[in-house]
Amino acid sequence: QVQLVESGGGSVQAGGSLGLSCILSGNTDSVNWMGWFRQAPGKEREGVAVISDEGSTTYYADSVKGRFTISRDNAKNAVYLQMNSLKPKDTAMYYCAAARNLAPWYGGGGSGVNFWGQGTQVTVSS
């Protein structure tokens, strides 16, 4: 089992920045890919960013490229998402996710994710 606990998030005006953190505990060797999903009201959950176990490979949704940065610190069992130049359309519940492979971030609303965090709200006002 792996437990994921998120922190960060909150409310910010458009153009502002927020950072999210996710701390892993448990059998962390059982998962390789870590990342973030988000879900806005009435919309399907979508993959936002993902990072490989060594941190050498990252992928981003087109909608956040150039604005969001994912990173991880394996010594702290932590994954981070720095969000800059935030837009109202970034408003959503953000979920930390852990998976054994990259497939969940290719679509399907996160199907195949092995472990989820509880979610943290990000609200961007215009």
Side-chain angles (χ1 to χ4, degrees):
Q1 278 295 90
V2 172
Q3 292 78 45
L4 307 176
V5 179
E6 298 122 336
S7 61
S11 297
V12 67
Q13 288 191 325
S17 299
L18 285 172
L20 305 181
S21 300
C22 176
I23 304 298
L24 295 74
S25 61
N27 186 15
T28 58
D29 290 339
S30 67
V31 293
N32 300 315
W33 295 88
M34 294 293 305
W36 298 86
F37 285 79
R38 68 185 181 186
Q39 188 167 23
K43 294 188 176 181
E44 184 178 276
R45 186 161 47 193
E46 63 171 347
V48 175
V50 61
I51 189 167
S52 60
D53 51 359
E54 295 299 323
S56 57
T57 302
T58 58
Y59 295 103
Y60 296 91
D62 288 341
S63 58
V64 306
K65 280 181 182 177
R67 301 187 298 120
F68 290 13
T69 302
I70 189 170
S71 61
R72 67 190 294 169
D73 184 340
N74 288 337
K76 298 180 179 179
N77 285 335
V79 177
Y80 308 100
L81 186 68
Q82 179 62 38
M83 304 180 291
N84 298 328
S85 301
L86 282 162
K87 304 174 181 180
K89 65 180 181 180
D90 295 316
T91 295
M93 185 71 79
Y94 283 70
Y95 297 90
C96 182
R100 297 184 181 91
N101 57 66
L102 187 57
W105 279 270
Y106 284 139
S111 175
V113 166
N114 298 105
F115 304 100
W116 291 99
Q118 80 281 4
T120 185
Q121 178 68 36
V122 171
T123 302
V124 184
S125 59
S126 58

mmCIF file of all heavy atoms in Angstrom, residues 78-115:
data_model
loop_
_atom_site.group_PDB
_atom_site.id
_atom_site.type_symbol
_atom_site.label_atom_id
_atom_site.label_comp_id
_atom_site.label_asym_id
_atom_site.label_seq_id
_atom_site.Cartn_x
_atom_site.Cartn_y
_atom_site.Cartn_z
ATOM 1 N N ALA A 78 8.642 12.914 -1.858
ATOM 2 C CA ALA A 78 7.738 14.020 -2.147
ATOM 3 C C ALA A 78 7.689 14.330 -3.639
ATOM 4 O O ALA A 78 8.683 14.170 -4.352
ATOM 5 C CB ALA A 78 8.172 15.262 -1.386
ATOM 6 N N VAL A 79 6.529 14.768 -4.064
ATOM 7 C CA VAL A 79 6.317 15.239 -5.432
ATOM 8 C C VAL A 79 5.681 16.618 -5.344
ATOM 9 O O VAL A 79 4.822 16.866 -4.481
ATOM 10 C CB VAL A 79 5.392 14.289 -6.218
ATOM 11 C CG1 VAL A 79 5.130 14.835 -7.614
ATOM 12 C CG2 VAL A 79 5.997 12.918 -6.302
ATOM 13 N N TYR A 80 6.093 17.494 -6.243
ATOM 14 C CA TYR A 80 5.633 18.867 -6.181
ATOM 15 C C TYR A 80 5.057 19.304 -7.532
ATOM 16 O O TYR A 80 5.459 18.803 -8.576
ATOM 17 C CB TYR A 80 6.787 19.797 -5.820
ATOM 18 C CG TYR A 80 7.541 19.389 -4.582
ATOM 19 C CD1 TYR A 80 8.751 18.707 -4.677
ATOM 20 C CD2 TYR A 80 7.037 19.674 -3.316
ATOM 21 C CE1 TYR A 80 9.445 18.326 -3.539
ATOM 22 C CE2 TYR A 80 7.727 19.291 -2.171
ATOM 23 C CZ TYR A 80 8.923 18.615 -2.287
ATOM 24 O OH TYR A 80 9.603 18.235 -1.157
ATOM 25 N N LEU A 81 4.157 20.255 -7.474
ATOM 26 C CA LEU A 81 3.645 20.877 -8.693
ATOM 27 C C LEU A 81 3.637 22.387 -8.471
ATOM 28 O O LEU A 81 2.872 22.891 -7.647
ATOM 29 C CB LEU A 81 2.233 20.388 -9.016
ATOM 30 C CG LEU A 81 1.674 20.888 -10.352
ATOM 31 C CD1 LEU A 81 2.451 20.271 -11.521
ATOM 32 C CD2 LEU A 81 0.180 20.559 -10.495
ATOM 33 N N GLN A 82 4.513 23.072 -9.168
ATOM 34 C CA GLN A 82 4.546 24.525 -9.122
ATOM 35 C C GLN A 82 3.702 25.064 -10.268
ATOM 36 O O GLN A 82 3.944 24.727 -11.432
ATOM 37 C CB GLN A 82 5.984 25.027 -9.241
ATOM 38 C CG GLN A 82 6.113 26.535 -9.230
ATOM 39 C CD GLN A 82 5.629 27.169 -7.934
ATOM 40 O OE1 GLN A 82 5.842 26.626 -6.857
ATOM 41 N NE2 GLN A 82 4.977 28.312 -8.045
ATOM 42 N N MET A 83 2.733 25.880 -9.927
ATOM 43 C CA MET A 83 1.794 26.391 -10.921
ATOM 44 C C MET A 83 1.933 27.910 -11.009
ATOM 45 O O MET A 83 1.676 28.612 -10.035
ATOM 46 C CB MET A 83 0.360 26.019 -10.533
ATOM 47 C CG MET A 83 0.168 24.520 -10.334
ATOM 48 S SD MET A 83 -1.516 24.076 -9.873
ATOM 49 C CE MET A 83 -1.591 24.763 -8.221
ATOM 50 N N ASN A 84 2.356 28.378 -12.161
ATOM 51 C CA ASN A 84 2.531 29.808 -12.400
ATOM 52 C C ASN A 84 1.561 30.297 -13.472
ATOM 53 O O ASN A 84 0.994 29.495 -14.217
ATOM 54 C CB ASN A 84 3.969 30.092 -12.846
ATOM 55 C CG ASN A 84 4.995 29.721 -11.805
ATOM 56 O OD1 ASN A 84 4.741 29.813 -10.600
ATOM 57 N ND2 ASN A 84 6.171 29.301 -12.255
ATOM 58 N N SER A 85 1.409 31.590 -13.551
ATOM 59 C CA SER A 85 0.519 32.212 -14.552
ATOM 60 C C SER A 85 -0.845 31.530 -14.553
ATOM 61 O O SER A 85 -1.380 31.166 -15.608
ATOM 62 C CB SER A 85 1.152 32.131 -15.936
ATOM 63 O OG SER A 85 2.402 32.789 -15.963
ATOM 64 N N LEU A 86 -1.395 31.349 -13.399
ATOM 65 C CA LEU A 86 -2.656 30.616 -13.277
ATOM 66 C C LEU A 86 -3.797 31.347 -13.959
ATOM 67 O O LEU A 86 -3.847 32.591 -13.990
ATOM 68 C CB LEU A 86 -2.983 30.374 -11.812
ATOM 69 C CG LEU A 86 -2.183 29.229 -11.181
ATOM 70 C CD1 LEU A 86 -2.207 29.329 -9.665
ATOM 71 C CD2 LEU A 86 -2.729 27.888 -11.635
ATOM 72 N N LYS A 87 -4.712 30.555 -14.497
ATOM 73 C CA LYS A 87 -5.875 31.065 -15.214
ATOM 74 C C LYS A 87 -7.151 30.546 -14.550
ATOM 75 O O LYS A 87 -7.115 29.486 -13.901
ATOM 76 C CB LYS A 87 -5.845 30.597 -16.665
ATOM 77 C CG LYS A 87 -4.573 30.964 -17.412
ATOM 78 C CD LYS A 87 -4.561 30.350 -18.800
ATOM 79 C CE LYS A 87 -3.271 30.694 -19.534
ATOM 80 N NZ LYS A 87 -3.237 30.107 -20.898
ATOM 81 N N PRO A 88 -8.260 31.246 -14.701
ATOM 82 C CA PRO A 88 -9.513 30.739 -14.117
ATOM 83 C C PRO A 88 -9.840 29.317 -14.548
ATOM 84 O O PRO A 88 -10.417 28.550 -13.765
ATOM 85 C CB PRO A 88 -10.541 31.752 -14.623
ATOM 86 C CG PRO A 88 -9.776 33.028 -14.726
ATOM 87 C CD PRO A 88 -8.415 32.603 -15.240
ATOM 88 N N LYS A 89 -9.470 28.930 -15.765
ATOM 89 C CA LYS A 89 -9.768 27.577 -16.215
ATOM 90 C C LYS A 89 -8.925 26.521 -15.531
ATOM 91 O O LYS A 89 -9.141 25.323 -15.716
ATOM 92 C CB LYS A 89 -9.589 27.467 -17.724
ATOM 93 C CG LYS A 89 -8.168 27.669 -18.223
ATOM 94 C CD LYS A 89 -8.111 27.540 -19.731
ATOM 95 C CE LYS A 89 -6.700 27.706 -20.271
ATOM 96 N NZ LYS A 89 -6.647 27.571 -21.749
ATOM 97 N N ASP A 90 -7.931 26.947 -14.733
ATOM 98 C CA ASP A 90 -7.161 26.001 -13.925
ATOM 99 C C ASP A 90 -7.895 25.623 -12.641
ATOM 100 O O ASP A 90 -7.436 24.738 -11.900
ATOM 101 C CB ASP A 90 -5.790 26.584 -13.570
ATOM 102 C CG ASP A 90 -4.909 26.793 -14.784
ATOM 103 O OD1 ASP A 90 -4.863 25.897 -15.643
ATOM 104 O OD2 ASP A 90 -4.255 27.856 -14.859
ATOM 105 N N THR A 91 -8.988 26.281 -12.355
ATOM 106 C CA THR A 91 -9.760 25.989 -11.156
ATOM 107 C C THR A 91 -10.260 24.548 -11.193
ATOM 108 O O THR A 91 -10.920 24.134 -12.147
ATOM 109 C CB THR A 91 -10.952 26.948 -11.033
ATOM 110 O OG1 THR A 91 -10.459 28.277 -10.842
ATOM 111 C CG2 THR A 91 -11.841 26.563 -9.862
ATOM 112 N N ALA A 92 -9.924 23.793 -10.148
ATOM 113 C CA ALA A 92 -10.298 22.383 -10.102
ATOM 114 C C ALA A 92 -9.837 21.791 -8.777
ATOM 115 O O ALA A 92 -9.088 22.419 -8.027
ATOM 116 C CB ALA A 92 -9.646 21.611 -11.251
ATOM 117 N N MET A 93 -10.280 20.569 -8.523
ATOM 118 C CA MET A 93 -9.705 19.773 -7.458
ATOM 119 C C MET A 93 -8.500 19.059 -8.054
ATOM 120 O O MET A 93 -8.617 18.406 -9.094
ATOM 121 C CB MET A 93 -10.730 18.768 -6.940
ATOM 122 C CG MET A 93 -10.261 17.980 -5.736
ATOM 123 S SD MET A 93 -10.167 18.984 -4.249
ATOM 124 C CE MET A 93 -11.905 19.029 -3.787
ATOM 125 N N TYR A 94 -7.372 19.167 -7.388
ATOM 126 C CA TYR A 94 -6.141 18.551 -7.860
ATOM 127 C C TYR A 94 -5.829 17.327 -7.009
ATOM 128 O O TYR A 94 -5.858 17.394 -5.772
ATOM 129 C CB TYR A 94 -4.991 19.549 -7.809
ATOM 130 C CG TYR A 94 -5.034 20.557 -8.938
ATOM 131 C CD1 TYR A 94 -6.010 21.540 -8.979
ATOM 132 C CD2 TYR A 94 -4.109 20.521 -9.972
ATOM 133 C CE1 TYR A 94 -6.079 22.449 -10.026
ATOM 134 C CE2 TYR A 94 -4.150 21.426 -11.012
ATOM 135 C CZ TYR A 94 -5.146 22.383 -11.036
ATOM 136 O OH TYR A 94 -5.205 23.281 -12.074
ATOM 137 N N TYR A 95 -5.498 16.236 -7.690
ATOM 138 C CA TYR A 95 -5.230 14.965 -7.019
ATOM 139 C C TYR A 95 -3.809 14.491 -7.332
ATOM 140 O O TYR A 95 -3.407 14.447 -8.504
ATOM 141 C CB TYR A 95 -6.202 13.897 -7.482
ATOM 142 C CG TYR A 95 -7.643 14.175 -7.156
ATOM 143 C CD1 TYR A 95 -8.454 14.870 -8.041
ATOM 144 C CD2 TYR A 95 -8.189 13.744 -5.945
ATOM 145 C CE1 TYR A 95 -9.782 15.136 -7.754
ATOM 146 C CE2 TYR A 95 -9.523 14.005 -5.636
ATOM 147 C CZ TYR A 95 -10.305 14.706 -6.545
ATOM 148 O OH TYR A 95 -11.620 14.959 -6.251
ATOM 149 N N CYS A 96 -3.106 14.113 -6.299
ATOM 150 C CA CYS A 96 -1.832 13.433 -6.469
ATOM 151 C C CYS A 96 -2.112 11.973 -6.806
ATOM 152 O O CYS A 96 -3.067 11.388 -6.267
ATOM 153 C CB CYS A 96 -1.027 13.545 -5.178
ATOM 154 S SG CYS A 96 0.611 12.807 -5.248
ATOM 155 N N ALA A 97 -1.303 11.406 -7.671
ATOM 156 C CA ALA A 97 -1.532 10.034 -8.112
ATOM 157 C C ALA A 97 -0.216 9.292 -8.264
ATOM 158 O O ALA A 97 0.805 9.886 -8.624
ATOM 159 C CB ALA A 97 -2.289 10.024 -9.438
ATOM 160 N N ALA A 98 -0.262 7.996 -8.017
ATOM 161 C CA ALA A 98 0.907 7.138 -8.176
ATOM 162 C C ALA A 98 0.518 5.913 -8.994
ATOM 163 O O ALA A 98 -0.556 5.339 -8.775
ATOM 164 C CB ALA A 98 1.447 6.710 -6.812
ATOM 165 N N ALA A 99 1.385 5.529 -9.919
ATOM 166 C CA ALA A 99 1.071 4.406 -10.787
ATOM 167 C C ALA A 99 2.331 3.627 -11.133
ATOM 168 O O ALA A 99 3.441 4.157 -11.057
ATOM 169 C CB ALA A 99 0.394 4.890 -12.065
ATOM 170 N N ARG A 100 2.152 2.399 -11.543
ATOM 171 C CA ARG A 100 3.271 1.553 -11.928
ATOM 172 C C ARG A 100 3.713 1.823 -13.358
ATOM 173 O O ARG A 100 4.830 1.462 -13.734
ATOM 174 C CB ARG A 100 2.913 0.083 -11.740
ATOM 175 C CG ARG A 100 2.627 -0.267 -10.286
ATOM 176 C CD ARG A 100 2.368 -1.746 -10.084
ATOM 177 N NE ARG A 100 2.083 -2.037 -8.686
ATOM 178 C CZ ARG A 100 0.876 -2.038 -8.150
ATOM 179 N NH1 ARG A 100 -0.182 -1.802 -8.911
ATOM 180 N NH2 ARG A 100 0.708 -2.304 -6.865
ATOM 181 N N ASN A 101 2.839 2.431 -14.149
ATOM 182 C CA ASN A 101 3.215 2.771 -15.509
ATOM 183 C C ASN A 101 2.610 4.107 -15.904
ATOM 184 O O ASN A 101 1.867 4.726 -15.137
ATOM 185 C CB ASN A 101 2.778 1.665 -16.484
ATOM 186 C CG ASN A 101 1.294 1.416 -16.408
ATOM 187 O OD1 ASN A 101 0.494 2.273 -16.752
ATOM 188 N ND2 ASN A 101 0.914 0.234 -15.949
ATOM 189 N N LEU A 102 2.947 4.536 -17.118
ATOM 190 C CA LEU A 102 2.579 5.875 -17.576
ATOM 191 C C LEU A 102 1.170 5.949 -18.153
ATOM 192 O O LEU A 102 0.612 7.024 -18.323
ATOM 193 C CB LEU A 102 3.604 6.309 -18.632
ATOM 194 C CG LEU A 102 3.563 7.737 -19.182
ATOM 195 C CD1 LEU A 102 3.672 8.744 -18.053
ATOM 196 C CD2 LEU A 102 4.664 7.920 -20.200
ATOM 197 N N ALA A 103 0.593 4.797 -18.434
ATOM 198 C CA ALA A 103 -0.678 4.749 -19.159
ATOM 199 C C ALA A 103 -1.794 5.632 -18.601
ATOM 200 O O ALA A 103 -2.537 6.235 -19.375
ATOM 201 C CB ALA A 103 -1.149 3.296 -19.269
ATOM 202 N N PRO A 104 -1.964 5.728 -17.298
ATOM 203 C CA PRO A 104 -3.095 6.543 -16.797
ATOM 204 C C PRO A 104 -3.088 7.989 -17.262
ATOM 205 O O PRO A 104 -4.145 8.621 -17.299
ATOM 206 C CB PRO A 104 -2.931 6.448 -15.279
ATOM 207 C CG PRO A 104 -2.260 5.141 -15.055
ATOM 208 C CD PRO A 104 -1.301 5.010 -16.202
ATOM 209 N N TRP A 105 -1.926 8.510 -17.600
ATOM 210 C CA TRP A 105 -1.862 9.903 -18.015
ATOM 211 C C TRP A 105 -2.133 10.077 -19.508
ATOM 212 O O TRP A 105 -2.145 11.198 -20.004
ATOM 213 C CB TRP A 105 -0.496 10.483 -17.669
ATOM 214 C CG TRP A 105 -0.438 10.895 -16.225
ATOM 215 C CD1 TRP A 105 -0.752 12.099 -15.698
ATOM 216 C CD2 TRP A 105 -0.068 10.055 -15.120
ATOM 217 N NE1 TRP A 105 -0.595 12.074 -14.339
ATOM 218 C CE2 TRP A 105 -0.177 10.838 -13.955
ATOM 219 C CE3 TRP A 105 0.345 8.728 -15.001
ATOM 220 C CZ2 TRP A 105 0.103 10.344 -12.680
ATOM 221 C CZ3 TRP A 105 0.629 8.238 -13.739
ATOM 222 C CH2 TRP A 105 0.500 9.033 -12.602
ATOM 223 N N TYR A 106 -2.393 9.001 -20.216
ATOM 224 C CA TYR A 106 -2.716 9.089 -21.635
ATOM 225 C C TYR A 106 -4.194 9.302 -21.889
ATOM 226 O O TYR A 106 -4.618 9.424 -23.027
ATOM 227 C CB TYR A 106 -2.248 7.824 -22.361
ATOM 228 C CG TYR A 106 -0.771 7.765 -22.605
ATOM 229 C CD1 TYR A 106 -0.066 6.579 -22.434
ATOM 230 C CD2 TYR A 106 -0.063 8.890 -23.027
ATOM 231 C CE1 TYR A 106 1.293 6.517 -22.666
ATOM 232 C CE2 TYR A 106 1.293 8.832 -23.257
ATOM 233 C CZ TYR A 106 1.971 7.653 -23.069
ATOM 234 O OH TYR A 106 3.321 7.589 -23.305
ATOM 235 N N GLY A 107 -4.979 9.339 -20.878
ATOM 236 C CA GLY A 107 -6.409 9.541 -21.048
ATOM 237 C C GLY A 107 -7.189 8.563 -20.200
ATOM 238 O O GLY A 107 -6.626 7.745 -19.502
ATOM 239 N N GLY A 108 -8.488 8.646 -20.264
ATOM 240 C CA GLY A 108 -9.323 7.723 -19.507
ATOM 241 C C GLY A 108 -9.605 8.166 -18.099
ATOM 242 O O GLY A 108 -10.064 7.374 -17.274
ATOM 243 N N GLY A 109 -9.300 9.452 -17.813
ATOM 244 C CA GLY A 109 -9.680 9.967 -16.510
ATOM 245 C C GLY A 109 -8.903 9.401 -15.338
ATOM 246 O O GLY A 109 -9.362 9.461 -14.203
ATOM 247 N N GLY A 110 -7.721 8.856 -15.623
ATOM 248 C CA GLY A 110 -6.917 8.324 -14.537
ATOM 249 C C GLY A 110 -7.137 6.849 -14.271
ATOM 250 O O GLY A 110 -6.647 6.323 -13.261
ATOM 251 N N SER A 111 -7.850 6.186 -15.169
ATOM 252 C CA SER A 111 -8.030 4.746 -15.015
ATOM 253 C C SER A 111 -6.662 4.066 -15.038
ATOM 254 O O SER A 111 -5.856 4.332 -15.915
ATOM 255 C CB SER A 111 -8.892 4.211 -16.159
ATOM 256 O OG SER A 111 -8.989 2.808 -16.109
ATOM 257 N N GLY A 112 -6.417 3.225 -14.089
ATOM 258 C CA GLY A 112 -5.131 2.558 -14.005
ATOM 259 C C GLY A 112 -4.221 3.133 -12.950
ATOM 260 O O GLY A 112 -3.174 2.548 -12.651
ATOM 261 N N VAL A 113 -4.569 4.273 -12.387
ATOM 262 C CA VAL A 113 -3.813 4.817 -11.260
ATOM 263 C C VAL A 113 -3.944 3.843 -10.092
ATOM 264 O O VAL A 113 -5.031 3.367 -9.781
ATOM 265 C CB VAL A 113 -4.319 6.210 -10.866
ATOM 266 C CG1 VAL A 113 -3.781 6.617 -9.502
ATOM 267 C CG2 VAL A 113 -3.929 7.237 -11.910
ATOM 268 N N ASN A 114 -2.819 3.560 -9.468
ATOM 269 C CA ASN A 114 -2.841 2.579 -8.374
ATOM 270 C C ASN A 114 -3.205 3.215 -7.028
ATOM 271 O O ASN A 114 -3.832 2.564 -6.194
ATOM 272 C CB ASN A 114 -1.489 1.893 -8.284
ATOM 273 C CG ASN A 114 -1.152 1.127 -9.547
ATOM 274 O OD1 ASN A 114 -0.323 1.550 -10.350
ATOM 275 N ND2 ASN A 114 -1.814 0.005 -9.764
ATOM 276 N N PHE A 115 -2.782 4.452 -6.822
ATOM 277 C CA PHE A 115 -3.060 5.106 -5.552
ATOM 278 C C PHE A 115 -3.380 6.586 -5.793
ATOM 279 O O PHE A 115 -2.729 7.237 -6.620
ATOM 280 C CB PHE A 115 -1.860 4.981 -4.606
ATOM 281 C CG PHE A 115 -1.440 3.556 -4.357
ATOM 282 C CD1 PHE A 115 -0.362 3.009 -5.030
ATOM 283 C CD2 PHE A 115 -2.142 2.761 -3.458
ATOM 284 C CE1 PHE A 115 0.016 1.696 -4.822
ATOM 285 C CE2 PHE A 115 -1.762 1.443 -3.245
ATOM 286 C CZ PHE A 115 -0.688 0.912 -3.935
#
